[in-house]
Amino acid sequence: MDSILTTLIGMISLIASCIVFGACCYLLSKRKAVEAVLMTIGSGVGLFTRLLYFLVPLLAGSNNIAYTEISKYYTIIGFIGTMASLCFAVGLLLLIHNTVKKNNVFHDQFPTSND
């Protein structure tokens, strides 16, 4: 029972990553821009690293891999995940900057007064 509960709790972060990746793919389909590409790449690689974090303990347990080998794999996966997070963050910042910049033309929206 504990292993099933642990597996389900571990899957929550995987489900959240799937939702973020789906939203980024939708943004990319609607808006072909650099920020959409960066966010999609970052979330896709992040989803892959989350999947690896979920699968490495299962593979290590079945193949009797030493702890030093597992720690090397986690270091590599962590570095790749960090790069993916940075890629997503840069894309998100570009999206926010471009969205705010477009809405910054507030003074031209109202007609001038004749008084």
Side-chain angles (χ1 to χ4, degrees):
M1 182 69 178
D2 276 340
S3 78
I4 294 173
L5 186 60
T6 305
T7 304
L8 289 176
I9 290 173
M11 296 279 289
I12 291 173
S13 67
L14 195 62
I15 292 169
S17 294
C18 287
I19 292 170
V20 171
F21 181 66
C24 290
C25 288
Y26 179 74
L27 175 66
L28 184 63
S29 71
K30 294 296 181 183
R31 180 177 179 174
K32 306 278 192 269
V34 174
E35 58 267 11
V37 171
L38 285 172
M39 289 175 62
T40 304
I41 290 171
S43 64
V45 174
L47 175 64
F48 180 69
T49 58
R50 294 239 191 248
L51 184 65
L52 287 178
Y53 273 125
F54 183 71
L55 292 178
V56 165
L58 298 175
L59 294 174
S62 65
N63 294 333
N64 296 327
I65 298 174
Y67 178 73
T68 55
E69 288 293 318
I70 295 172
S71 66
K72 289 178 188 177
Y73 295 139
Y74 276 131
T75 302
I76 294 169
I77 294 169
F79 179 74
I80 293 170
T82 301
M83 292 299 121
S85 296
L86 284 173
C87 185
F88 181 83
V90 168
L92 182 63
L93 287 174
L94 283 173
L95 179 67
I96 291 170
H97 175 37
N98 291 340
T99 304
V100 169
K101 190 171 84 174
K102 285 180 185 176
N103 293 336
N104 201 12
V105 189
F106 185 71
H107 62 296
D108 292 337
Q109 293 180 357
F110 298 104
T112 57
S113 175
N114 292 335
D115 292 335

